[in-house]
Amino acid sequence: MIRDPQLEKMSRVELEKLQLERLKKQVAHVYEKSPFYQRTLKEKGVKPADIKKLSDITKLPFTSKADFRDNYPFGLMCVPLNKVVRFHSSSGTTGKPIVAPYTQGDIDMWSEVMARSMAAAGMAAGDVMQNSYGYGLFTGGLGFHYGGERLGAAVLPTSGGNTKRQLLLLQDLGTTVLTCTPSYALILHETAKELGIDWRETKLRLAICGAEPWSDQLRDEIQGKMHVKAINIYGLTEVIGPGVSVECTEQCGMHIWEDHFLAEIIDPVTGEPLPYGSAGELVLTTLSKEAQPVIRFRTKDITSLTPEPCKCGRTHVRMTRVMGRTDDMLVIKGVNVFPSQIESVLLAVEGVEPHYMIVVDRQEGFKSDYLEIWVEVSEGIFSDEMSKMKDLEKRLRDEMDSVLAITAKIKLVEPKTITRYEGKSKRVVNRDELK
Amino acid sequence: MRVKQISVFVENKPGRLEDILGALEKAQINIRALSISDSGEFGIVRMVLPHAEQSQESLREAGFTTRLDTLLAYSMPDVPGGMLNNVVKPLTKAGINLKYFYAYTDPATKQAVVVIKPDNLEKAEQILKSL
C-alpha cells in the first residue's frame, strides 16, 4: 500500500525541486541557529546563499559522529530547549552518547515516515503489531510505536526480552506483524521451537527487521522458518531513528524517503562523491528537521544507490542492504571483507545455522593476517563420521577462499557457545577479548 | 542385530566428557560401549546404551548436539582371531567397507560384541546373519 502516492510517486524532477527548496531552508536554519554549523560552514567558505542547485551540496562540510560527541550535549541543537518535546540517545560505547532532541514537528515527521515505511512493508490499519524493539532511549521502540499507531495498527509494546511471555501474547492476541532486530527474531524462533509452537498456527505474517546489519541469507532463514515476509528497515539516531528507508513488498532495496532525507554516496577514504551504482559510504542530509538537523552526516554505512523506477511505482531512490560499516571492514592480508559477506557464505552451506563468530587478531586498525570463524555445530550438520565433519570444515574453508578470497580457519564449536544477542549482535571479536 | 548409537559433538576441552557422563548418570543410564574419535580440536563421542531416545533427550537438555544412528552389533566367541574370522574377513570378501567400529565384552554371555558401521548396512547384516 502506498500511503502518500502524491509524494511517494512524485516524478524525479518534481522531487528534486522539492529537495532543493527544502535544502536551502534547512541550511539557512542551521546557519542561523547553530554556532557549530556557523563555524564549520565558515571554515569551508560557504554561505547558505551559495546553495543554488542540488549538486551544490558538495560544497557543504561533512558532519561526523565525533562532531556530536565533541559538542555534547546541545552543540548541534537549533531550537531553544523549551521547543524540545523528547530526547533519544544512542549507546555511548565509545565515549559520550549521541543525544537526539525532537520538536513536536520532528515527532510528527518521524511518525509519518514510519507509518509510510510500515505501509510500504505491507502493514495496514487493523494489524496487531508486536513491537519487540527496546523501549527507552533507543529510537527503535518509540519510533515503531508512534508509526504503528499513526497507521492505525493495534500496537503491543512488549519491548525486548521475556521471550516466553512474548510468544504467549503473540499467540493469544493474534499478532500479525512483528517488529524487532533480526537477532531477536531468531531468539523468538529458537524459543518457539523449544516450546513446540508451530508458526503456521499463529497469525504472524510479517516481520519488519532492522537496527543491525543482516544478510539476504538470514532473511531467507527467518522467512522460511517463521513463515513470514521479512522486510528490511533502516535508520540512525543522528538522522531521526528508524524510517529513513525501508523495503517495499518487492524486496529489492530500501526506498529512502527523499522528501525528508537527501542521500549521497562517497568514497570513504577520499570523501569524493560517487555515482549511482557504486558502493561507498552513505551520507545523509535532513531536509525538514527542526531540533537537530544534520548536514552531510557520514553514516559509516556502506551501500549503493539506484534511482531506477521500482515495480511498486515509488520514485524514491533505493539503497541496497547495508554491506557493512566502514568501522567493521576487515582487511585480511590486504583483502577487504565485511562480516555480512562471511555470513552469506556460511549460510549458503546447507544446514549451517546463523550462529557464528569472527575472531581476528587486530594488530593495527582493522588489519589482520589471521581470521578464525567459529561455527556452531547444530544437529543439521553433525555427523557421527569424522570424515564428514572434516569435509564440512574443508568445504567452509574452501568457500571462504573461492567466494571472498580470504584464508580462514574454521573452528567447529558446541551449540550455544556463541552469545545470543537480543539487541544489536556482535559478530567480530578481537582474540584479546576472549580472556 | 541392529543397535542404536548416540553420537555427541564435543569440543576438546577439559570437563566435557565429564558433562556427558554426568548427564547420563543423572538419567540413570548405563553405558554399554563407548568410543571417541577426535580431530585434535573436537571429538565425536559414540555410545551404545539402553533407552537411546531418552538418553538423547537427556544429552540435548544438557546442551549437546547429538544424533541417533542405527548400527550393527555382532556377538562372537571372545577368542584370538574371533573378530578377524567372524566379521572382518566375510565383509571384506563381500566388498563392504567399514566406516568405523568398536568392541566390548558382554559380561553376561562372555561373548565379544563388535559394533560396526558398514557402508551398506542391509548387505552387511545379511552376510553376518548367514554365517
Side-chain angles (χ1 to χ4, degrees), chain A residues 377-380 382-386 388-390 393 409-417, chain B residues 7-11 16 37-39 41-42 44 46 60 63 65-67 69 99-100 117:
Chain A
V377 175
S378 62
E379 294 196 348
F382 178 42
S383 169
D384 56 317
E385 292 171 33
M386 183 56 82
K388 287 192 180 153
M389 296 306 287
K390 300 303 279 181
E393 268 187 345
K409 179 182 155 56
I410 305 292
K411 184 177 172 185
L412 298 178
V413 297
E414 287 173 19
K416 313 261 172 162
T417 304
Chain B
S7 310
V8 187
F9 177 83
V10 271
E11 281 177 58
R16 295 311 278 155
S37 171
D38 87 293
S39 77
E41 293 216 312
F42 66 86
I44 302 168
R46 309 188 188 101
R60 272 186 186 149
T65 297
T66 61
R67 61 178 276 150
D69 291 284
K99 301 208 165 183
Y100 58 80
K117 175 148 189 181

Side-chain angles (χ1 to χ4, degrees), chain A residues 87-91 97-98 100 102 110 134-142 237:
Chain A
F87 286 109
H88 279 285
S89 170
S90 74
S91 50
I98 303 288
Y102 297 74
W110 187 21
Y135 278 67
L137 287 172
F138 172 49
T139 52
L142 287 173
T237 307

Side-chain angles (χ1 to χ4, degrees), chain A residues 38-220:
Chain A
Q38 241 169 53
R39 179 165 53 78
T40 56
L41 262 72
K42 273 182 185 155
E43 276 166 13
K44 260 255 178 178
V46 53
K47 285 199 177 70
D50 296 332
I51 304 298
K52 294 191 173 74
K53 51 187 190 299
L54 263 191
S55 59
D56 288 335
I57 191 160
T58 56
K59 294 178 181 167
L60 295 167
F62 289 119
T63 310
S64 71
K65 221 177 208 359
D67 292 323
F68 281 82
R69 300 223 158 95
D70 296 346
N71 296 279
Y72 173 87
F74 298 135
L76 274 70
M77 203 155 89
C78 296
V79 293
L81 202 51
N82 66 7
K83 293 284 179 208
V84 173
V85 298
R86 196 195 299 166
F87 286 109
H88 279 285
S89 170
S90 74
S91 50
T93 40
T94 47
K96 295 249 173 66
I98 303 288
V99 173
Y102 297 74
T103 62
Q104 187 56 53
D106 292 334
I107 296 286
D108 285 343
M109 182 271 276
W110 187 21
S111 306
E112 186 52 36
V113 290
M114 277 307 290
R116 206 194 264 184
S117 298
M118 290 164 166
M123 189 172 135
D127 266 313
V128 177
M129 180 190 115
Q130 185 160 339
N131 187 17
S132 309
Y133 284 103
Y135 278 67
L137 287 172
F138 172 49
T139 52
L142 287 173
F144 276 87
H145 186 103
Y146 275 61
E149 286 190 350
R150 179 168 285 225
L151 188 61
V155 177
L156 184 54
T158 48
S159 194
N162 210 339
T163 307
K164 285 185 181 166
R165 193 179 63 189
Q166 296 237 7
L167 287 165
L168 180 87
L169 290 168
L170 185 143
Q171 294 177 92
D172 293 349
L173 300 189
T175 298
T176 53
V177 179
L178 173 69
T179 55
C180 64
T181 60
S183 301
Y184 194 64
L186 287 177
I187 289 179
L188 276 168
H189 174 68
E190 281 193 356
T191 311
K193 210 167 84 181
E194 279 166 26
L195 297 175
I197 296 169
D198 183 349
W199 290 110
R200 283 165 296 192
E201 284 166 16
T202 70
K203 290 190 175 158
L204 192 68
R205 61 176 176 81
L206 174 66
I208 307 177
C209 298
E212 63 183 17
W214 54 312
S215 62
D216 279 328
Q217 285 75 10
L218 186 54
R219 185 224 296 275
D220 292 344

Side-chain angles (χ1 to χ4, degrees), chain A residues 123-376:
Chain A
M123 189 172 135
D127 266 313
V128 177
M129 180 190 115
Q130 185 160 339
N131 187 17
S132 309
Y133 284 103
Y135 278 67
L137 287 172
F138 172 49
T139 52
L142 287 173
F144 276 87
H145 186 103
Y146 275 61
E149 286 190 350
R150 179 168 285 225
L151 188 61
V155 177
L156 184 54
T158 48
S159 194
N162 210 339
T163 307
K164 285 185 181 166
R165 193 179 63 189
Q166 296 237 7
L167 287 165
L168 180 87
L169 290 168
L170 185 143
Q171 294 177 92
D172 293 349
L173 300 189
T175 298
T176 53
V177 179
L178 173 69
T179 55
C180 64
T181 60
S183 301
Y184 194 64
L186 287 177
I187 289 179
L188 276 168
H189 174 68
E190 281 193 356
T191 311
K193 210 167 84 181
E194 279 166 26
L195 297 175
I197 296 169
D198 183 349
W199 290 110
R200 283 165 296 192
E201 284 166 16
T202 70
K203 290 190 175 158
L204 192 68
R205 61 176 176 81
L206 174 66
I208 307 177
C209 298
E212 63 183 17
W214 54 312
S215 62
D216 279 328
Q217 285 75 10
L218 186 54
R219 185 224 296 275
D220 292 344
E221 291 250 352
I222 292 173
Q223 295 196 143
K225 287 180 169 167
M226 298 177 76
H227 302 276
V228 293
K229 190 159 199 162
I231 292 287
N232 197 4
I233 188 163
Y234 174 81
L236 310 90
T237 307
E238 294 86 347
V239 176
I240 189 97
V244 171
S245 68
V246 73
E247 281 175 331
C248 60
T249 49
E250 298 291 332
Q251 294 178 306
C252 55
M254 296 182 278
H255 291 279
I256 299 177
W257 301 125
E258 286 185 284
D259 49 335
H260 296 290
F261 313 106
L262 201 155
E264 301 169 77
I265 296 289
I266 61 160
D267 180 316
V269 180
T270 64
E272 286 305 309
L274 294 174
Y276 282 134
S278 318
E281 182 178 351
L282 178 69
V283 172
L284 291 168
T285 300
T286 57
L287 295 174
S288 55
K289 239 179 133 190
E290 295 169 353
Q292 193 164 272
V294 280
I295 303 296
R296 300 193 87 200
F297 179 67
R298 293 189 61 156
T299 65
K300 295 192 172 186
D301 286 326
I302 305 285
T303 182
S304 70
L305 301 180
T306 173
E308 293 297 312
C310 179
K311 275 188 207 151
C312 71
R314 291 178 182 83
T315 50
H316 294 220
V317 78
R318 281 171 289 149
M319 62 184 267
T320 60
R321 184 178 284 288
V322 172
M323 298 167 210
R325 303 265 304 156
T326 54
D327 284 345
D328 292 340
M329 193 168 79
L330 300 165
V331 186
I332 309 297
K333 288 190 176 165
V335 181
N336 296 355
V337 196
F338 290 103
S340 57
Q341 293 175 293
I342 291 175
E343 178 175 304
S344 300
V345 173
L346 287 177
L347 295 186
V349 175
E350 205 191 327
V352 176
E353 297 204 354
H355 305 304
Y356 65 92
M357 195 164 78
I358 299 161
V359 182
V360 293
D361 292 298
R362 223 163 248 185
Q363 283 140 2
E364 45 166 310
F366 317 119
K367 287 183 189 161
S368 175
D369 279 348
Y370 186 72
L371 183 71
E372 198 169 285
I373 303 167
W374 292 16
V375 182
E376 280 188 8

Side-chain angles (χ1 to χ4, degrees), chain B residues 40-100:
Chain B
E41 293 216 312
F42 66 86
I44 302 168
V45 176
R46 309 188 188 101
M47 291 173 286
V48 174
L49 29 68
H51 315 296
E53 280 86 4
Q54 185 206 334
S55 308
Q56 187 181 28
E57 217 30 65
S58 302
L59 289 165
R60 272 186 186 149
E61 272 168 31
F64 287 100
T65 297
T66 61
R67 61 178 276 150
L68 212 51
D69 291 284
T70 301
L71 270 63
L72 292 181
Y74 185 71
S75 303
M76 70 201 99
D78 188 11
V79 294
M83 192 156 92
L84 176 70
N85 295 310
N86 288 292
V87 180
V88 178
K89 271 190 178 168
L91 292 180
T92 309
K93 205 175 143 198
I96 288 169
N97 198 18
L98 295 184
K99 301 208 165 183
Y100 58 80

